[in-house]
Amino acid sequence: MIARIARALGPEVPALLGFLALVIAVFGLVSPRFLTAGNFASIAFQLPELGLLTLAMMIPIVSGGLNLAIIYTANMAGLTLAWVLQAHGGPEAPAWAFALGTMAALAVGAAAGGLSGAVIAFTGAHPILVTLAMMIFLRGLGEYLTRGGDISGFPPFLAAIGHGTAFGLPVPLLIFGLAAFAWHLMLGRMRHGFSVYMIGSNPAAARYSGLNVRRTLVLLYTLSGLMCAIAGILMLTRFNSVRVGHGEALLLVTVLACFLGGVDPFGGFGRVLPVVIALFILQALSSGLNLLGANQHLATAVWGLFLIGVMVLRHLFGRWPFRRRKGN
């Protein structure tokens, strides 16, 4: 039974869980405040923002691409919601204005992602170049419309989303959990997920097998933009303000989380559960360094070194079986 569960989970999950336990144990020893309910609650509220953006990055990577525009797509979606709320009373805006603004924000996120996907699918341009252009466009547009400032002052009921709890769990964590489960179902149980894996493994073979590669690419980048919009909405409710450039430091961390979670950087393989565990590892590292008094910039530097270490280890372990056979 245990062996069957281990095979179902895959080789990454036990290793990541062990590493997570090691991180918790080390920081628990060096910082008495780490193993406290308050610290774990803080992690639970902070992780969903990064988690949603990582899910938005994950499916383009699985398809063999990348979405460099995730941060600014989230920012533009948040700005869209903010403008709708401001137009209907700001702090006095009714609930229906929030619903209207949420739909508009989701539409903006989906449109940004869909446009990138359409350009990639119908022109054959590299995803890095296309999404880089989209990132520059959204950043410039957002800074022009906001004059580089931020928008704040929203209805008090939004705090229940960004800071509230339900069923004993933080609402943001529940939102992230539902999003991760939806991604798991899509990639593991739906035809679109199978198509994403096929394109990531071999685009030419996917095309010759009869898959509609163009439609799949447009849809997966649309879904990526939609997930960015959810992240942007959540950021607005958590910080009660929104501006262009918020969360810029998280872009490469989402890539790190995907690689740490076993997503193949060349496409064709990746599962949601290992990525979720990798997110908890990174958030625990950040929280532990913060409790030790480390500067946030140092934490970012540690994440960068961690990414290099992950790539080196994956390279070494990937070559080990070959070396062992060669030695025999």
Side-chain angles (χ1 to χ4, degrees), residues 56 95 106 123-124 129 147 165 169 207 229-230 287 295:
L106 294 175
T123 68
L129 297 178
R147 300 298 187 268
T165 59
L169 295 172
R207 189 175 296 107
I230 297 174
S287 177
N295 187 282

Side-chain angles (χ1 to χ4, degrees), residues 19 42 76 89 94 131 136 144 157 168 190 196 200 202-203 209 221 228 235 244 253 268 275:
F19 188 50
S42 176
M76 285 302 299
T131 58
I136 296 171
Y144 169 75
F157 64 79
M190 297 183 180
V196 171
N202 192 323
S209 67
Y221 278 93
C228 292
M235 285 190 280
V244 176
V253 182
V275 172

Side-chain angles (χ1 to χ4, degrees), residues 253 285-287 289-290 294-305:
V253 182
L285 280 171
S286 176
S287 177
L289 290 172
N290 182 60
N295 187 282
Q296 180 59 42
H297 299 295
L298 176 61
T300 304
V302 170
W303 278 342
L305 289 175

Side-chain angles (χ1 to χ4, degrees), residues 76-247:
M76 285 302 299
L79 286 170
T80 301
L81 173 57
W83 286 325
V84 172
L85 292 173
Q86 290 290 321
H88 293 87
E92 306 299 326
W96 64 262
F98 173 70
L100 177 64
T102 296
M103 289 187 291
L106 294 175
V108 167
L115 179 58
S116 295
V119 174
I120 293 167
F122 289 96
T123 68
H126 198 284
I128 290 180
L129 297 178
V130 175
T131 58
L132 176 62
M134 179 59 69
M135 179 185 75
I136 296 171
F137 166 71
L138 293 175
R139 177 177 182 175
L141 178 63
E143 290 182 343
Y144 169 75
L145 294 174
T146 62
R147 300 298 187 268
D150 60 359
I151 302 176
S152 59
F154 303 118
F157 64 79
L158 295 188
I161 299 176
H163 301 278
T165 59
F167 309 107
L169 295 172
V171 173
L173 188 64
L174 291 174
I175 294 173
F176 169 64
L178 291 174
F181 183 67
W183 248 224
H184 169 74
L185 289 179
M186 179 191 69
L187 290 173
R189 302 296 179 88
M190 297 183 180
R191 179 178 176 83
H192 175 66
F194 173 76
S195 300
V196 171
Y197 285 123
M198 284 288 293
I199 293 172
S201 299
N202 192 323
R207 189 175 296 107
Y208 289 131
S209 67
L211 293 179
N212 192 328
V213 175
R214 288 178 173 175
R215 182 178 64 187
T216 300
L217 286 172
V218 173
L219 179 57
L220 76 88
Y221 278 93
T222 300
L223 291 173
S224 176
L226 195 65
M227 191 63 72
C228 292
I230 297 174
I233 294 168
L234 186 60
M235 285 190 280
L236 181 149
T237 61
R238 271 185 41 79
F239 302 109
N240 199 38
S241 67
V242 60
R243 63 176 176 83
V244 176
H246 176 77

Side-chain angles (χ1 to χ4, degrees), residues 236-303:
L236 181 149
T237 61
R238 271 185 41 79
F239 302 109
N240 199 38
S241 67
V242 60
R243 63 176 176 83
V244 176
H246 176 77
E248 284 179 313
L250 298 179
L251 176 61
L252 296 182
V253 182
T254 63
V255 179
L256 169 57
C258 289
F259 291 170
L260 179 60
V263 178
D264 192 330
F266 300 103
F269 180 80
R271 298 187 302 130
V272 173
L273 180 58
V275 172
V276 171
I277 299 173
L279 286 165
F280 277 98
I281 292 173
L282 294 175
Q283 196 62 58
L285 280 171
S286 176
S287 177
L289 290 172
N290 182 60
L291 290 175
L292 293 177
N295 187 282
Q296 180 59 42
H297 299 295
L298 176 61
T300 304
V302 170
W303 278 342

